[in-house]
Amino acid sequence: MMNALQPDGRLRTALRSIGVLPAALSFALACYAVLMLVAAIPWIDRPFPGFTVLRGEKIDLQLPDAWNGAKAGLRPMDRILDVDRMPPASSRALYDRVVAEPVGTPLTYRVERHTWDGREQILTRTVATQRFSLLDWCAIFLGNWVAAIAYLVVGVVVSILKPGSPVARAHLALCLSGSFHFLTLFDSSATHVWPSHVPSLVALGVFGACGLNLALLFPRQLEVPLPRARALILLSGVLVAAYGILFYPSAPHAQWSYLLPCAYAGLGGVALFVNTTWTLLSRGSSSLARAQARTLVWGALLAILPAVGLVVALLAGSNGVLLNLGAVSCAMLPLAIGVAIVRHGLFEIDLLLRPALTYALISLLLLTLYSSVLALLGALIGERSPFANIATTAIVALAFAPLRDQTKAWLDHTFFRTAYDAEAVRAEFTRCAQETLTIAELVQAFFRILDEALHLTYGAAFRQVPEAPFWRLEGALGALPGEAPSPLPFDFPDAETFRISLHDEVLGLFVLGPRRSGIPFSKGDRALITDLAHTLALRMGLFDALRKEQHQAHQIEALEASKAMQEQFLNLVSHELRTPVSVIMGALSCMRLEGRSADDPALETYFGRIYRNAEQLSLLISDLLNAGQLQTGHFALHRRPHAFRELVERAIEDLAPLVAQKRQRLENLVPDGWPDMEGDPQRLGQVIRNLLVNAINHTGPQTSIRVTAERTPAQIRCEVLDTGPGIPEEEQPKLFGRFVRLEQAGGRGVGLGLFIAKAIVEAHGGEIGVRSEPGRGSAFWFTLPLGMDRALAAAGDPASDKALK
């Protein structure tokens, strides 16, 4: 996080956003430029033929009239056949031959020339060698190199300032191809790093294709299928480059095979001009696109004249200095495009240039007027009174102060640069945010305060909602463009969109139309808008939190009411069911005592089943009552001394019928001879029965269940061990919850046995828990403190018979 705030961190982030391939190409071009510059420096102050030679031993187009070659009658694109009757092996070999001769040595050249009507001429010319000066080096070579560097720097800077933008990527491709083209021009005349003319022609084809690709997107995206259009552009670039490569060596006038790629490269500029004109004339163009188009027009005017001069030079020949100046001036086109791309985000071009120039002009006029008035008054007063001169100067200065302020106010009004105090605007909106009670009122205050500072044409705020179309209009400023009854954030192509986000969560969007002045938002304006949007997001988040809190409060109240009704229902049902069940069990007991069923074995069997199920139903009702007492706070302990082993023994006797059905064996391993302990024997017996019932239900037939216990001076620890399937570790924390039933229980019970056991043990000041592994059985244990009075006091219930709350 901190690294991203450092300059080197931002640079690395920007370079990564450019892309691996463009960054690698940019670095390669930079290295290539340095290599060629180093290779071309030795030209300075050394002999040369009096003309420059391209690959193929052809005289370069850059042939100044002051050179001996032009004075001897040589022309661009003449081909050198031999030097003093010795054919040169290559252009570099010709230079090496000349360097070995002293300055002023006359050399005889036999040249081949093709006239415009197709005739071939063989001419002989004698040209004296001369010295290549620093001025010649700058005039012939440096222009192309500077143009190449300018293209490279502009493309990379724009991509860094606008990372990820499709227009910036297309502009970078244009700049890289243009840089490569000018570097190959520099190379063909100076260094001869490339062995042939192919790179220069390929660079022209790529430059034209990149220009056409950029024209599809800028300053306004054309309404055409982009993939198909780009495929056609790529194909045309390949065909043009192939034509130049195939016909350049053998064409009677090689410049014609070079002119076709040049014309194709110029076609990209023509396409940009067409798109610019269409953007300016079309009603559907946004204010941003029109502003970019106007900037592009200025750049094109500065670049088109040198381009026309370059075409004329290719046709008729020209001075090398003009060609180099034309090459440098051509860099104004990508520079203008780059400024148009990034100005609305980072470069305040309009706010910097237009007011600055106007202020300078007005200040110059005022200074002239001020000086004239002083000179006139000085001439009238003369030099008789220095005090009078000082007083006059002070009076004029004071008189001009209001004029200066009025002029500044007029200029501010002209440029709609109404000054505002950003901190005062933030403070005012913060105050409004604290006083408003609804989001709608806050949004209206937001637009009102922002409009007073920035003079907006319109604005709209949208809230994100879960249902389609996922945006709801919360408030608006002015008349929104378009005819849609319910606009969306994306229905305003000439507006800028800002997010209302809190903790990386988008709460909404608001769109702001252009300022009434047409001047784009500055960085200060965007900072103000961002701060106000953050305050708005904080307030909206607070409103949402309050709304959620109220909703949760209503839900809690409903749950508590439902819980109270549930407890009331359970208690009512338990009490109502207990009476008929008791009557049934009593009647059955009386019938069995009277011997009514002894004579009929089948009837005895049915009576036994009815009695056992009625007894089970009585136990379930008892559990429900106990659970209800725990929840309502009417659960009471009746403590008295008792023998713990006898509690276990009675629980085992009570469960003997259930154990007999499953052919299980219960073992009481509690030692004899322990002194009596103090507690509620009925409730503790219920704990042991519940644990034994749980073990019986989860253990298979013909197994044994053991009850063990150990005594320390502080407590008794009892365990009920079974050999059942065991309990997974993730399920163990849930066992002692209310209405929790184990899956191995086969659906028996209501899930209250362990819950009641836990409540009874904790009421005695003890603890309860389980140890279990799947496949190795379970051991339910509980502890009871022997110092019961101290334990109950520690638990917050010093009274022995007080209800446990």
Side-chain angles (χ1 to χ4, degrees), residues 486-500:
S486 56
L488 296 175
F490 316 106
D491 294 339
F492 311 99
D494 60 339
E496 292 196 43
T497 304
F498 297 87
R499 293 194 308 172
I500 307 174

Side-chain angles (χ1 to χ4, degrees), residues 448-716:
R448 175 179 56 79
I449 293 174
L450 204 58
D451 183 49
E452 291 175 356
L454 301 179
H455 303 282
L456 302 172
T457 54
Y458 65 88
F462 296 87
R463 187 70 184 273
Q464 191 171 16
V465 293
E467 64 275 1
F470 308 111
W471 298 102
R472 182 179 69 243
L473 183 64
E474 288 286 347
L477 168 69
L480 300 180
E483 301 178 356
S486 56
L488 296 175
F490 316 106
D491 294 339
F492 311 99
D494 60 339
E496 292 196 43
T497 304
F498 297 87
R499 293 194 308 172
I500 307 174
S501 58
L502 185 63
H503 305 305
D504 296 330
E505 179 185 359
V506 178
L507 303 179
L509 298 173
F510 65 88
V511 294
L512 298 179
R515 302 172 72 172
R516 291 193 288 272
S517 63
I519 297 176
F521 296 123
S522 66
K523 288 191 291 185
D525 297 337
R526 286 188 171 84
L528 176 65
I529 295 171
T530 303
D531 291 344
L532 298 189
H534 182 65
T535 304
L536 180 63
L538 289 175
R539 198 64 179 175
M540 292 175 67
L542 179 60
F543 286 148
D544 290 342
L546 292 176
R547 189 183 300 110
K548 291 179 181 178
E549 184 177 354
Q550 293 175 355
H551 180 67
Q552 291 176 354
H554 291 312
Q555 287 184 329
I556 292 174
E557 291 179 0
L559 288 175
E560 290 179 349
S562 175
K563 187 176 180 180
M565 291 178 62
Q566 180 184 10
E567 297 297 338
Q568 184 179 5
F569 174 76
L570 288 176
N571 290 332
L572 178 62
V573 170
S574 300
H575 282 91
E576 293 298 326
L577 290 178
R578 194 167 194 175
T579 300
V581 169
S582 300
V583 172
I584 293 172
M585 293 181 65
L588 290 173
S589 298
C590 292
M591 293 177 67
R592 297 181 71 178
L593 290 174
E594 294 175 0
R596 298 291 180 89
S597 61
D599 299 335
D600 191 345
L603 188 60
E604 175 66 23
T605 301
Y606 290 135
F607 277 165
R609 291 178 181 176
I610 294 172
Y611 187 83
R612 286 195 300 274
N613 284 276
E615 188 178 34
Q616 181 68 24
L617 181 59
S618 178
L619 291 175
L620 293 177
I621 294 172
S622 178
D623 287 345
L624 289 174
L625 283 174
N626 290 331
Q629 291 175 358
L630 287 172
Q631 295 296 322
T632 58
H634 298 293
F635 186 80
L637 292 179
H638 303 281
R639 295 183 295 113
R640 65 179 184 273
H642 65 277
F644 185 76
R645 177 179 173 80
E646 294 180 1
L647 288 180
V648 177
E649 193 65 34
R650 283 198 299 268
I652 291 176
E653 292 176 359
D654 292 341
L655 297 175
L658 184 60
V659 172
Q661 290 180 1
K662 300 189 68 174
R663 299 189 300 278
Q664 295 172 334
R665 183 173 69 257
L666 297 181
E667 299 182 43
N668 185 2
L669 302 181
V670 178
D672 291 329
W674 281 1
D676 292 346
M677 62 174 295
E678 187 172 306
D680 190 329
Q682 183 179 0
R683 294 297 184 184
L684 292 178
Q686 187 178 1
V687 172
I688 298 172
R689 281 195 299 272
N690 287 351
L691 295 182
L692 287 174
V693 169
N694 182 70
I696 292 170
N697 291 334
H698 289 79
T699 306
Q702 298 180 354
T703 57
S704 62
I705 300 171
R706 295 175 295 165
V707 181
T708 66
E710 59 181 7
R711 183 185 180 100
T712 67
Q715 66 178 9
I716 288 178

Side-chain angles (χ1 to χ4, degrees), residues 717-732:
R717 179 182 175 91
C718 179
E719 288 190 356
V720 177
L721 297 92
D722 62 56
T723 57
I727 304 169
E729 183 177 359
E730 62 272 11
E731 297 291 334
Q732 294 178 14

